Amino acid sequence: MDDEIVILTSFVFIKYDYVQESPMDERRPTLKQQIFAFALCAIVFTTVYNFAAWYTSRAEKVPSFVFDFEKYIPFLPWSIIPYMTSGIFFCAVFFFCRDKEQLAVLTKRMLFTTASAGLCFIVFPLQFSLPKPMTDGSVLDYSFQFLKIFDSPFNQSPSLHIAYAFIFWSVFRNFTKFRIFLMLWLIVLGISTLTTYQHHFIDILSGTVLAHISFMVFPYRKNDFQYRNFQVANFYFLFGWILISASILMYQFFGHLWLIVLWPGVMAIIIGYQYQKNNIHFLKDKNGNISWWKTIFYTPYLIVYWTFWKFLRKNKKPLEIAPRIYISSRPCRQDLHYFEISRNTLVYDLSAEMEEISDLKNKSSYHSIPFLDIGTLDIEPTQKLVTEITEKYKTLPTDGKIFIHCTMGFTRSSVIGILIMKNILSLPIDEAVNTMTGIHKNAVIHPYLKDFLKKI
């Protein structure tokens, strides 16, 4: 049976044909495919890197960009060892891809990063400017001599060592046995770009941003709901690194005050990490409360969500999706008059980023079951919640109601509402989706969520 991988970029189209030997090998890349991908990326890198170096060397004057604090960065000759291992990672990473899609995405990211960096080298040329200490007589001197021949002083920003290191990690992070070692080695590799006096700090920042742009442009398993959190995390990572870069640049030109922008930058990266881990309680505890120190640290994040909630939410009035079961956005005190709240009202708060108003929490039977916004809904916790609400519904008193809400009321409450309708009204999942969108005109059910609903 014939199958194929297709890689499409702005300048190359590749088609891999192979023969499927067994169902277990269907997704596994062949050695031929891996060698081809490596050879392609190596040829493109060599061509782009050397052309950019040659082109820049012809300029009369090539500037440098150095932050004031870089004069305190020490020269560490031994760090040439992790620096040089970038080439080993480059050669090996293609052969550690577990499936064809991962190989295709890796190849796209490498080609995109190489081409983008090459364009920057030509349009915004920079060169390293600090004097490099002598290494004569050292056993490591051969490595530095090698760099003088093959590593251009002009191709600086963005650093391909840094950009590639992040891309390498997107593959090697899946190897649990050596994961910590590989992570630490890649971190040391990144630091070595500074301590071998090969790159300035601006090169590291721009290389990091470029890597995360490649993650956004070429996501892995884009349509797989189980990888949704990684895609959202990459957005937060990119946004965070942009803010950090902007903060340090503004500090260089306009003073220390701009270092305050480091705060939301670091916060965004931490939020991205929480999405990767699907940590639904990174803000709210099991009682639905946000501690004072988290309120302070995540203030920019909370302000953004409060602003969205205040001005962009639609369904302020609860919608009845089944007898005595309602969904809506997070209500404010003025919204509570739409229906009576009592101890027989079961409230399920799905919001992970905003606390419940005290009036609703204190006057009802409140349950905090957070899900990350526009992220993955894990199958097991979702099934547990839907089963719980279904069982509670069977024993509701005559004046009892069930109220399900998230922050904006667009997605999370709609998804749980669809599953509740499926159970209580005995509807096929497609019919439950259509019924929900008929009742809730502002419901947002992305394609990845439809796949998730079918799994349930």
Side-chain angles (χ1 to χ4, degrees):
M1 177 179 177
D2 292 334
D3 205 344
E4 64 183 23
I5 299 177
V6 175
I7 299 177
L8 178 63
T9 71
S10 58
F11 53 90
V12 66
F13 180 87
I14 311 158
K15 182 177 180 180
Y16 297 127
D17 292 312
Y18 79 106
V19 177
Q20 179 179 331
E21 297 179 354
S22 70
M24 292 183 63
D25 295 328
E26 182 178 358
R27 294 174 53 199
R28 188 176 302 166
T30 65
L31 180 61
K32 181 180 178 181
Q33 293 169 346
Q34 292 169 323
I35 293 174
F36 192 91
F38 161 67
L40 174 67
C41 291
I43 291 171
V44 171
F45 164 76
T46 303
T47 303
V48 170
Y49 187 88
N50 289 325
F51 175 79
W54 169 81
Y55 182 88
T56 306
S57 67
R58 296 167 66 245
E60 293 184 3
K61 184 178 181 181
V62 180
S64 299
F65 187 94
V66 187
F67 288 104
D68 295 337
F69 58 80
E70 291 190 57
K71 61 185 177 183
Y72 300 108
I73 297 176
F75 177 75
L76 304 175
W78 63 263
S79 61
I80 191 66
I81 297 174
Y83 182 86
M84 296 289 284
T85 59
S86 179
I88 299 175
F89 278 103
F90 189 108
C91 296
V93 67
F94 298 93
F95 302 94
F96 284 89
C97 292
R98 299 187 299 178
D99 56 61
K100 294 180 296 183
E101 183 183 357
Q102 189 176 45
L103 178 63
V105 170
L106 170 67
T107 306
K108 292 177 184 179
R109 289 172 175 175
M110 293 289 284
L111 293 173
F112 171 82
T113 299
T114 303
S116 300
L119 183 62
C120 291
F121 297 155
I122 293 172
V123 178
F124 307 106
L126 293 173
Q127 66 174 324
F128 191 81
S129 62
L130 298 179
K132 187 177 297 185
M134 299 296 291
T135 56
D136 294 342
S138 169
V139 69
L140 301 172
D141 184 54
Y142 295 105
S143 296
F144 283 100
Q145 293 300 324
F146 176 86
L147 286 184
K148 288 181 180 179
I149 298 173
F150 294 101
D151 204 355
S152 168
F154 300 115
N155 295 343
Q156 290 290 302
S157 182
S159 166
L160 283 173
H161 265 73
I162 296 297
Y164 286 162
F166 277 101
I167 296 174
F168 297 154
W169 177 242
S170 70
V171 174
F172 288 117
R173 71 184 307 277
N174 297 314
F175 294 87
T176 54
K177 188 174 182 180
F178 301 103
R179 179 174 176 171
I180 300 298
F181 171 78
L182 290 170
M183 177 185 68
L184 293 176
W185 190 270
L186 287 171
I187 290 173
V188 173
L189 188 159
I191 295 173
S192 73
T193 60
L194 297 172
T195 56
T196 54
Y197 282 18
Q198 290 298 124
H199 282 281
H200 289 300
F201 197 74
I202 188 65
D203 313 336
I204 279 66
L205 293 175
S206 54
T208 301
V209 170
L210 177 59
H212 286 87
I213 290 175
S214 78
F215 296 155
M216 294 293 294
V217 175
F218 302 109
Y220 178 56
R221 296 193 178 178
K222 180 179 180 180
N223 297 319
D224 188 338
F225 73 89
Q226 293 177 316
Y227 284 79
R228 175 68 179 180
N229 276 14
F230 285 89
Q231 295 159 24
V232 178
N234 284 332
F235 166 80
Y236 279 108
F237 289 148
L238 175 59
F239 184 63
W241 283 113
I242 289 174
L243 287 178
I244 289 174
S245 301
S247 175
I248 296 176
L249 283 168
M250 298 299 283
Y251 152 75
Q252 177 75 5
F253 292 109
F254 301 107
H256 293 79
L257 180 63
W258 286 97
L259 290 177
I260 191 66
V261 182
L262 288 174
W263 171 23
V266 172
M267 181 201 69
I269 291 174
I270 291 176
I271 292 173
Y273 175 78
Q274 305 296 351
Y275 264 85
Q276 277 194 342
K277 297 298 182 181
N278 197 27
N279 182 9
I280 57 176
H281 289 291
F282 83 94
L283 266 178
K284 297 168 71 170
D285 61 23
K286 293 183 179 181
N287 296 317
N289 301 318
I290 302 176
S291 63
W292 65 267
W293 69 268
K294 287 184 178 181
T295 300
I296 294 173
F297 179 74
Y298 288 102
T299 292
Y301 181 74
L302 297 174
I303 289 175
V304 169
Y305 261 98
W306 182 88
T307 303
F308 285 162
W309 170 80
K310 184 68 175 178
F311 299 105
L312 299 180
R313 64 191 175 113
K314 299 292 184 181
N315 56 327
K316 300 178 182 180
K317 183 177 180 180
L319 301 172
E320 190 171 19
I321 60 172
R324 297 187 293 164
I325 299 181
Y326 300 83
I327 66 169
S328 83
S329 60
R330 174 188 178 272
C332 63
R333 288 181 177 83
Q334 291 76 17
D335 299 329
L336 295 183
H337 72 274
Y338 286 122
F339 66 98
E340 295 181 359
I341 298 295
S342 69
R343 282 297 176 186
N344 289 329
T345 301
L346 278 63
V347 174
Y348 286 89
D349 175 12
L350 311 183
S351 170
E353 53 281 328
M354 292 186 71
E355 285 186 317
E356 188 68 273
I357 56 173
S358 57
D359 285 355
L360 185 57
K361 182 184 289 189
N362 297 331
K363 295 178 181 179
S364 67
S365 177
Y366 174 77
H367 306 267
S368 176
I369 315 291
F371 291 94
L372 297 178
D373 191 19
I374 65 173
T376 301
L377 281 74
D378 280 349
I379 292 178
E380 186 176 344
T382 303
Q383 288 176 327
K384 182 179 178 181
L385 173 61
V386 172
T387 300
E388 176 184 331
I389 294 176
T390 302
E391 294 302 316
K392 293 282 188 180
Y393 180 75
K394 294 176 182 178
T395 59
L396 271 182
T398 54
D399 62 339
K401 300 173 185 176
I402 296 178
F403 175 35
I404 306 166
H405 78 81
C406 53
T407 301
M408 301 299 293
F410 296 141
T411 299
R412 288 168 285 184
S413 56
S414 298
V415 170
I416 299 301
I418 287 169
L419 295 172
I420 295 298
M421 292 166 65
K422 173 182 177 293
N423 276 10
I424 293 175
L425 303 179
S426 301
L427 299 176
I429 194 65
D430 289 335
E431 187 176 341
V433 171
N434 292 334
T435 303
M436 173 60 72
T437 54
I439 297 172
H440 184 9
K441 303 299 182 182
N442 296 302
V444 178
I445 311 298
H446 297 285
Y448 79 90
L449 285 171
K450 292 182 179 179
D451 293 338
F452 168 77
L453 289 168
K454 291 176 182 178
K455 292 287 184 182
I456 295 291

